[in-house]
Amino acid sequence: MTEIPRRVRVVEVGPRDGLQNEKTIIPTEDKLRFIALLNEAGFPEIEVTSFVSPKAIPQLADAAEVFPAVEKKPETRYPVLVPNMRGMERALAAGAQAIAVFTAASESFTRANINMTIAQSIEAFRPVVETAKTNGMHVRGYISTTFGCPYEGAVAPQQVVAVADQLLALGVDELSIGDTIGVATPNQVTDLVPLLAERAGLERLALHFHDTRGTALANVLAALHLGVSTFDSSAGGAGGCPYAPGAAGNLATEDLLYMLHGMGIQTGIDLAAVVRASAFLASVVRRPLTSKYLQAALSAGEAQNGGVR
Ligand code: COA
Ligand code: ZN
């Protein structure tokens, strides 16, 4: 076992991955308030929106309004999702300096999500990544369904490796390995991560867990022991799954930070400030968010304040 990292980079994806899965369409000004509260927590990176088709993701149709209005801190990176050249043009026009392209390890999911084969997605990204590099932008490459696919079931590590190799050949700076439907168990992490680390290097590898079946933190722990030091999470565990009422979505940032800080791992992020951002989001979506830490913090706060938050 590798020594676990002393410092971990937490990438906040709530404004994108969380909000794209919320049933309600959140007003632009509330998104901006949510992002401003997240900014106060000191994240190194906040994924703020997606320049995708508004028909595919109506929740993020206001990307061109949101992105320029976000108050940017010089030390923070604000990536946006881009699926094609049309998205790249919109991202550039909005002033984005970091992008993420996204494909998957299984064909059926790729078809359903971006209406392309995996091979077509790689070809679509080629000019996108070239343009990004010309403009000095940081490029993340997401691979979804790396531990299981809603249509195809099991996904073999070799399928993920094949896609990772193609994204790396395009020149992406970082890979984010997604458990899109939250099915992974730690043994799968142990099987897959070394194969990817061999290709990308540990420092270019992020893991992106969803907590749909309660295994996300166990998977993070397995990955920490393999030396992974970048994890994606979403404030409050926002998002859920639109097809499974009450189900947990992204690994909640609060739950991740609580575990990391408890283990003596530094993140530079203020957990109490994340709770404030999530409490605001919960008031906007008018339902409790799924983060265990958030629920505990809010009920402790209510007990202290006589029910007033
Ligand atoms: N931004 C805005 N609009 C876009 C766009 C972009 N990046 N890319 C395409 N469009 C528009 C087209 O102009 C077209 O509009 P029209 O119907 O008014 O003419 C429409 O979307 C369809 O475009 P087309 O090129 O035929 O794409 P498609 O229907 O095959 O869809 C994607 C492909 C990739 C654009 C679409 O599936 C998508 O945006 N998916 C994103 C899914 C996502 O974000 N998932 C979550 C992240 S994992
Ligand atoms: Zn996700």
Side-chain angles (χ1 to χ4, degrees):
M1 270 194 192
T2 325
E3 220 178 290
I4 61 168
R6 285 161 179 267
R7 192 172 177 92
V8 156
R9 180 176 174 84
V10 173
V11 177
E12 170 61 44
V13 296
R16 194 279 301 174
D17 205 1
L19 299 193
Q20 82 181 15
N21 283 311
E22 284 294 330
K23 262 182 256 157
T24 20
I25 300 210
I26 296 167
T28 306
E29 64 189 57
D30 287 342
K31 290 178 182 170
L32 289 169
R33 176 88 187 117
F34 176 47
I35 296 166
L37 288 166
L38 291 170
N39 253 333
E40 286 175 17
F43 288 98
E45 188 157 343
I46 304 175
E47 199 171 73
V48 282
T49 188
S50 288
F51 288 93
V52 296
S53 161
K55 283 177 196 145
I57 310 281
Q59 291 91 333
L60 303 180
D62 58 357
E65 285 82 55
V66 169
F67 189 85
V70 169
E71 274 193 42
K72 320 278 189 315
K73 290 182 166 184
E75 67 276 21
T76 306
R77 190 184 282 151
Y78 300 92
V80 296
L81 258 61
V82 165
N84 52 20
M85 275 311 282
R86 168 106 177 79
M88 186 66 193
E89 283 151 18
R90 293 177 63 213
L92 279 172
Q97 291 174 348
I99 61 158
V101 294
F102 54 103
T103 185
S106 56
E107 289 291 353
S108 320
F109 183 85
T110 313
R111 173 63 68 191
N113 193 37
I114 53 175
N115 194 27
M116 301 178 209
T117 63
I118 296 170
Q120 283 168 342
S121 72
I122 298 293
E123 285 320 305
F125 300 157
R126 196 177 298 283
V128 171
V129 176
E130 269 169 26
T131 308
K133 291 286 139 197
T134 311
N135 286 276
M137 296 164 118
H138 184 270
V139 182
R140 163 178 263 216
Y142 273 106
I143 311 179
S144 294
T145 63
T146 53
F147 297 97
C149 168
Y151 310 104
E152 295 172 25
V155 172
Q158 279 312 323
Q159 287 174 257
V160 184
V161 167
V163 179
D165 281 343
Q166 294 176 71
L167 286 172
L168 290 168
L170 284 184
V172 303
D173 297 296
E174 180 188 34
L175 290 174
S176 178
I177 303 305
D179 183 16
T180 314
I181 53 169
V183 290
T185 51
N187 56 306
Q188 289 182 277
V189 175
T190 309
D191 287 345
L192 178 60
V193 165
L195 301 177
L196 295 172
E198 217 172 82
R199 287 163 164 85
L202 276 171
E203 62 293 339
R204 290 210 289 159
L205 210 55
L207 291 189
H208 177 113
F209 293 114
H210 283 225
D211 203 23
T212 321
R213 291 166 185 77
T215 52
L217 279 181
N219 293 330
V220 169
L221 186 60
L224 285 170
H225 281 291
L226 297 161
V228 175
S229 62
T230 304
F231 295 94
D232 299 353
S233 63
S234 173
C241 171
Y243 309 105
N250 281 93
L251 167 58
T253 305
E254 291 91 330
D255 300 357
L256 175 62
L257 292 178
Y258 179 75
M259 185 179 90
L260 295 174
H261 295 171
M263 292 172 73
I265 298 170
Q266 291 178 7
T267 64
I269 299 160
D270 177 357
L271 175 51
V274 181
V275 167
R276 287 194 287 277
S278 295
F280 171 73
L281 182 63
S283 74
V284 172
V285 297
R286 298 214 178 97
R287 64 171 181 84
L289 298 176
T290 51
S291 164
K292 294 272 200 283
Y293 181 91
L294 175 69
Q295 289 171 5
L298 293 180
S299 54
E302 276 177 20
Q304 271 167 22
N305 303 329
V308 184
R309 198 157 68 211

